[in-house]
Amino acid sequence: MSQALGRVSRGESGPPWPERGPTEIAALNRRFNRMVSDLTELESDRAVALAGISHDIRTPLTRLRMEIELSPMAEADKESMSEDITRIDAIVGKFMEYARTAAGDRQPGRIQSVVVEVMAGIDHAYPGATGRGDLALAVDAGPRAPLARRSDRPRIARSAT
């Protein structure tokens, strides 16, 4: 049971526990199976909601980008507003990534590759700062760095931004 709880806490699931045997054990297994089922359904619903919300936010962002490009304001103001929209879009992208990884991407890989992806996203979100040299990004991890799941990407991104 302890190992099964450990798997559930990591977002993994295993086969349902048998719901037979002594009354107390069968009841415990039945409740455990129900809990795993409820958590899986909750995670799926959350992923669908995040994907829907993210899509709904990207439509007005596209319209705002177009309005900025067509506006008569100064180029510096346009660039600043465009960078803000890019940052918002990056946040929406993180929601989308979470929705995808919550759906079951649990493949392990070296943490460096996940961190490099996150850093590339930061670089993309702040093009003016990185282009001017105001923001420099580097990854320094040794060969014995721990494994990370692709589903850890949103958590790593939150800690880096």
Side-chain angles (χ1 to χ4, degrees):
M1 180 68 78
S2 175
Q3 290 174 349
L5 285 171
R7 280 193 307 271
V8 169
S9 74
R10 291 187 303 274
E12 303 167 4
S13 63
W17 284 63
E19 297 179 7
R20 61 184 183 283
T23 306
E24 295 85 8
I25 299 298
L28 177 65
N29 289 353
R30 204 171 12 265
R31 287 183 179 177
F32 180 80
N33 291 339
R34 180 62 187 183
M35 177 192 69
V36 170
S37 174
D38 289 348
L39 288 172
T40 301
E41 185 178 341
L42 177 66
E43 190 64 29
S44 176
D45 290 348
R46 183 175 16 189
V48 168
L50 281 174
I53 291 167
S54 297
H55 180 273
D56 291 347
I57 291 172
R58 281 200 162 146
T59 301
L61 287 178
T62 302
R63 186 180 57 75
L64 287 170
R65 276 193 182 103
M66 187 175 66
E67 292 289 334
I68 290 169
E69 288 301 317
L70 297 174
S71 78
M73 69 177 74
E75 285 303 314
D77 293 336
K78 284 183 181 183
E79 183 180 324
S80 176
M81 291 176 78
S82 233
E83 285 182 10
D84 288 343
I85 290 174
T86 300
R87 280 195 285 283
I88 293 168
D89 193 50
I91 293 167
V92 170
K94 289 175 187 177
F95 283 138
M96 296 291 284
E97 178 72 18
Y98 176 77
R100 281 190 294 274
T101 59
D105 184 2
R106 307 273 186 219
Q107 300 301 318
R110 289 282 164 208
I111 195 165
Q112 293 99 313
S113 64
V114 177
V115 172
V116 166
E117 285 180 30
V118 169
M119 299 296 258
I122 293 170
D123 184 47
H124 178 73
Y126 298 91
T130 55
R132 289 187 306 269
D134 296 339
L135 177 64
L137 305 171
V139 177
D140 183 16
R144 298 178 56 104
L147 290 175
R149 295 185 312 248
R150 302 211 61 76
S151 56
D152 292 332
R153 187 182 187 284
R155 186 176 27 236
I156 293 168
R158 278 193 304 273
S159 68
T161 55

